[in-house]
Amino acid sequence: MIVYGRNAVREALAAGRRPVGRIWAAPQAAQEPWLTAREVEVVGPDEVAERCGSLDHQGVCAEAGPYPYADSDGVLTADDALVVCLDQVQDPHNLGAVCRVAEVVGCEGVVIPERRAAEVTPAACKAPAGAVEHLRIAKVRNVADWLAEAKQREAWVYGAAAGSPVRYDEPDYRGRVVLVVGSEGRGLRPRVEAACDQLVSLPVLGKVASLNVSTAAAAILYEILQSRRSG
Amino acid sequence: MIVYGRNAVREALAAGRRPVGRIWAAPQAAQEPWLTAREVEVVGPDEVAERCGSLDHQGVCAEAGPYPYADSDGVLTADDALVVCLDQVQDPHNLGAVCRVAEVVGCEGVVIPERRAAEVTPAACKAPAGAVEHLRIAKVRNVADWLAEAKQREAWVYGAAAGSPVRYDEPDYRGRVVLVVGSEGRGLRPRVEAACDQLVSLPVLGKVASLNVSTAAAAILYEILQSRRSG
């Protein structure tokens, strides 16, 4: 996979979880401190763009191994594991943005469906400033089945669902927690919703009536941290 | 201004704050219920793209008047007005994303600097699903001066600043509140930071150590709502 963007390449190198081969950088980017100790092929910005197939490269791209997906069993090990599960999110930028929040709040992992969903593409690596390199992301065949397994492992599963009568700040979020968030337009699929222990909603006071999935996740995840501190 | 994208065009029409002239739509988009009562020029997707200069048009674009900026005096009228002020945010997508959150949590307005900052461009209209059409957005010549005025009008001014020892959930957010958020990389300018009553930070537990400005704003704005409910 060709990873592009300053933070994405830097964090792929820093995390060291997948091999990084050739690195191409435009003259200015090649001088950044984190690149000086590396073997870099200094090329024009056009060649960087051509190598990575995007204009959003910030002067650097690199040949990296495939994204090292985690095992879905491994993301619920800690007693207070916090995991985000995505349902129907198809935009790699949204996947990336949710991963960035998940990484910042210290989630143990992110779970995504194997099919018909955004994967960890180069765009999903670029968007979240390299967060995916440090985060455990696992693919599962069936989200509802995985949630059932998570419940057997004593996780509480909360689904974000606009319109649920339970406000997001009502539950006690201690222990193993899975937060399921859906796509902007379509929300959670019925089987996934049914697999949740509780559906929670964020208050909506405006007229447009929907948050982007990453901002909704941020609001709920920070509430979870807060509930755990004060709980 | 050519506004593009389904929600952006729909909300420009729904809000009715600026004139909307010609509307161009690809055959499928032209059949959406909110467009059927309108005079629409049905064209190919390529012509829509050419009219708006973006491939992100979702089959529809429209000729709209200039964005109707609000007066900066008008955004702090209510006793419990909640206003977001942006400093150094230069990406229109980030401006749009913050506006979307601000609209959803019921902010009275958003304040942006007149210069060297993202404006309400067509991309900033598209990104937040039309939220900017319903939101009051005011431009000010100097952010620090405007914050000083806001304080004279009995607003409390909170700046989001990573590393501040005051956690975002500590203040009492009742009354008139201005939340100042900065750019991802650079944060707030010193003069802007100095103009805040208090700087607040979100806990960061990961390794990547920075949130996107819209997700940070979401976490803090929802905390403000919550503080007001329980306060």
Side-chain angles (χ1 to χ4, degrees), chain B residues 102-138:
Chain B
E103 205 276 334
V104 170
V105 302
C107 281
E108 193 164 9
V110 168
V111 170
I112 61 178
E114 225 169 60
R115 295 186 190 184
R116 290 189 290 279
E119 303 201 340
V120 186
T121 60
C125 295
K126 163 68 178 65
V132 298
E133 303 297 337
H134 299 282
L135 193 62
R136 271 184 277 194
I137 304 178

Side-chain angles (χ1 to χ4, degrees), chain A residues 141-195:
Chain A
R141 197 169 302 178
N142 183 297
V143 168
D145 290 349
W146 183 77
L147 294 176
E149 279 171 44
K151 286 199 282 191
Q152 280 177 354
R153 297 180 64 188
E154 292 174 7
W156 279 85
V157 177
Y158 299 93
S164 161
V166 180
R167 236 174 33 212
Y168 76 111
D169 56 352
E170 290 180 31
D172 174 342
Y173 289 109
R174 281 173 292 180
R176 287 197 182 96
V177 163
V178 176
L179 173 66
V180 193
V181 291
S183 80
E184 300 173 29
R186 285 160 301 178
L188 304 177
R189 286 174 291 178
R191 265 204 75 208
V192 170
E193 213 171 86

Side-chain angles (χ1 to χ4, degrees), chain B residues 177-196:
Chain B
V177 163
V178 176
L179 173 66
V180 194
V181 290
S183 79
E184 300 173 29
R186 286 161 300 178
L188 305 177
R189 286 172 293 179
R191 265 203 76 209
V192 171
E193 214 171 86
C196 295

